[in-house]
Amino acid sequence: MLHKQLTFTVAVLFFFAAIHVTYAQSNYFPPAGSWDRRTPEQAKLDPAKLKEAINFAIASEAKGPRSQELGLTQSFGQAPFGELVGPTKDRGDATGIIIRNGYIVAECGDPLRVDMTHSVTKSFLSTVVGVAFDRKLIRSLQDKVVDYNAPVVVYQPGQRYDVGERFGSSSFLDLFATDHNRKITWETMLRQTSDWEGTLWGKPDWADRPDRDSSKWLNRQHGEPGTAYEYNDVRVNALALAALNVWRKPLPQVLKENIMDEIGASNTWRWYGYENSYVVIDGQIMQSVSGGGHWGGGMFINAYDMARFGLLTARNGKWGNKQLLSTEFIRQAKTPTPVQPTYGFMNWFLNTDKKLYANAPASAFVHVGNGTNIVYIDPDNDLVIVVRWIENNKINEFIGKVLASLKN
């Protein structure tokens, strides 16, 4: 009887020890300047099937021009007021990183290369709004943004205020002056359901992905904030300027100090706005950054730094022992938008009911940008995958091949 009790006790101890080891692995956070690796076998992945997935991603490299200047001009540049106003950079080879339990198990291409990441920039923008929420600079994401509005002076070298033609005109840029815009909340801007109206940095809201019926450009009906989803970079840029007014310092600086330095990101990433998106705050000239790259600008970053950001969101905003983004902000970011259930906050694309990627678990979510650039987070399988410059219609198949390599 004693022998059986001892055997049972030892088995229980081994069971809990195994749980402890697994838990410790799943909470590994790479220190700055290094990243531990595991073989596919150590990470419980079939190496042959994983190699097949990587080869598939390489073979599915985006067909668009490597010149982002040319590619953007051929696409968004064909819309009204579509001219580039920010910097661009030619892209590199198809690149990827696969991480399991926090460890790198495979990579390809040139992960150190800094490239445009286009609309993945929006995820960094929502993050600095999230930090403002956590610091109580924004009391509630359901607050109206107009209540945080500040007088905005656009920096224009040589600007004079004693010109007769300007007499009686406001010197300020007011993002929320209209009756419609005064109703907009932080949440509806984050969910791209605000229907914000106006022109910012020379780009009218209607000119971004314009309606095919040009008669609607200047005479459309506005929906109440929250009732209709529309992916629109002018409105994203309005959110960036609103956040800049809350922080009173450049958003790249906010991101660096509160997120990127904390997660051990490199010093090679840069976040740009436009040639005309400078404002004056507290006597300082600051650039209001863009939330994407289709007029140039946005985030320029390497794949390792994208992966670190993906690991932060995979760990619900926690890095090591520090909660960099609150669980409450993460919860709201991952809550489906009622009128667009596969979208949370920008740019958290959700796999609600497996409608986004049929091969992935419903709990998976992604940060996605043109190119295609993607940061895939799979909590069920403790996976973070960065893939750059892959055809968008090949992503689901690529994910299926990676998941097929899992041994457990």
Side-chain angles (χ1 to χ4, degrees), residues 22 24-29 42-44 99-103 311 315 381-384:
T22 302
Q25 287 179 338
S26 66
N27 281 275
Y28 165 76
F29 295 88
Q42 288 173 321
K44 297 184 178 179
I99 296 158
R100 194 172 199 206
N101 302 326
Y103 299 98
L311 190 59
R315 300 291 189 256
N381 295 297
D382 205 352
L383 283 168
V384 174

Side-chain angles (χ1 to χ4, degrees), residues 215-378:
S215 68
K216 297 180 180 179
W217 289 358
L218 302 179
N219 299 292
R220 66 183 182 84
Q221 294 293 317
H222 290 285
E224 288 295 305
T227 62
Y229 168 87
E230 184 179 359
Y231 200 94
N232 184 289
D233 274 31
V234 178
R235 295 174 187 140
V236 173
N237 293 339
L239 174 62
L241 180 53
L244 175 60
N245 274 304
V246 167
W247 277 106
R248 305 175 79 112
K249 59 182 178 181
L251 298 189
Q253 182 181 340
V254 173
L255 183 69
K256 182 178 188 299
E257 294 172 353
N258 294 281
I259 300 294
M260 302 303 272
D261 286 352
E262 295 284 354
I263 65 177
S266 74
N267 198 34
T268 64
W269 63 272
R270 295 292 184 272
W271 190 359
Y272 294 108
Y274 304 136
E275 61 193 14
N276 59 338
S277 65
Y278 289 88
V279 298
V280 181
I281 298 178
D282 300 332
Q284 302 296 313
I285 301 168
M286 303 180 189
Q287 189 180 45
S288 186
V289 290
S290 70
H294 79 223
W295 296 304
M299 184 70 77
F300 293 63
I301 189 171
N302 72 42
Y304 289 124
D305 289 346
M306 290 173 67
R308 285 176 181 267
F309 179 76
L311 190 59
L312 173 68
T313 60
R315 300 291 189 256
N316 290 311
K318 191 172 185 180
W319 193 270
N321 295 320
K322 295 186 71 173
Q323 193 74 44
L324 304 183
L325 276 174
S326 69
T327 55
E328 174 57 21
F329 178 79
I330 297 291
R331 183 193 68 78
Q332 293 192 53
K334 292 169 65 175
T335 300
T337 297
V339 294
Q340 185 74 16
T342 57
Y343 202 71
F345 286 170
M346 64 174 70
N347 232 19
W348 298 58
F349 284 89
L350 312 176
N351 201 30
T352 307
D353 298 327
K354 304 185 73 169
K355 291 179 179 178
L356 190 63
Y357 299 121
N359 289 335
S363 62
F365 60 96
V366 289
H367 309 288
V368 181
N370 191 31
T372 299
N373 286 264
I374 180 170
V375 185
Y376 169 83
I377 293 98
D378 184 341

Side-chain angles (χ1 to χ4, degrees), residues 5-132:
Q5 288 177 332
L6 287 173
T7 301
F8 175 78
T9 301
V10 170
V12 170
L13 289 173
F14 273 114
F15 173 75
F16 281 104
I19 291 177
H20 175 75
V21 169
T22 302
Y23 179 79
Q25 287 179 338
S26 66
N27 281 275
Y28 165 76
F29 295 88
S34 66
W35 202 321
D36 286 352
R37 288 162 167 77
R38 294 290 184 267
T39 65
E41 292 89 347
Q42 288 173 321
K44 297 184 178 179
L45 294 160
D46 182 286
K49 291 182 179 179
L50 185 62
K51 179 65 173 174
E52 179 184 342
I54 293 170
N55 289 341
F56 176 81
I58 294 171
S60 302
E61 181 176 341
K63 297 180 177 61
R66 292 201 171 200
S67 167
Q68 298 301 281
E69 180 181 30
L70 176 60
L72 292 169
T73 301
Q74 291 175 337
S75 54
F76 299 112
Q78 300 304 302
F81 303 98
E83 298 81 7
L84 293 173
V85 288
T88 62
K89 184 177 185 291
D90 291 359
R91 72 166 177 86
D93 295 334
T95 295
I97 305 173
I98 297 176
I99 296 158
R100 194 172 199 206
N101 302 326
Y103 299 98
I104 293 176
V105 296
E107 52 192 323
C108 65
D110 187 0
L112 279 173
R113 180 185 170 93
V114 174
D115 273 342
M116 298 179 73
T117 198
H118 296 283
S119 283
V120 177
T121 307
K122 293 176 176 60
S123 298
F124 293 103
L125 174 56
S126 63
T127 295
V128 297
V129 174
V131 177

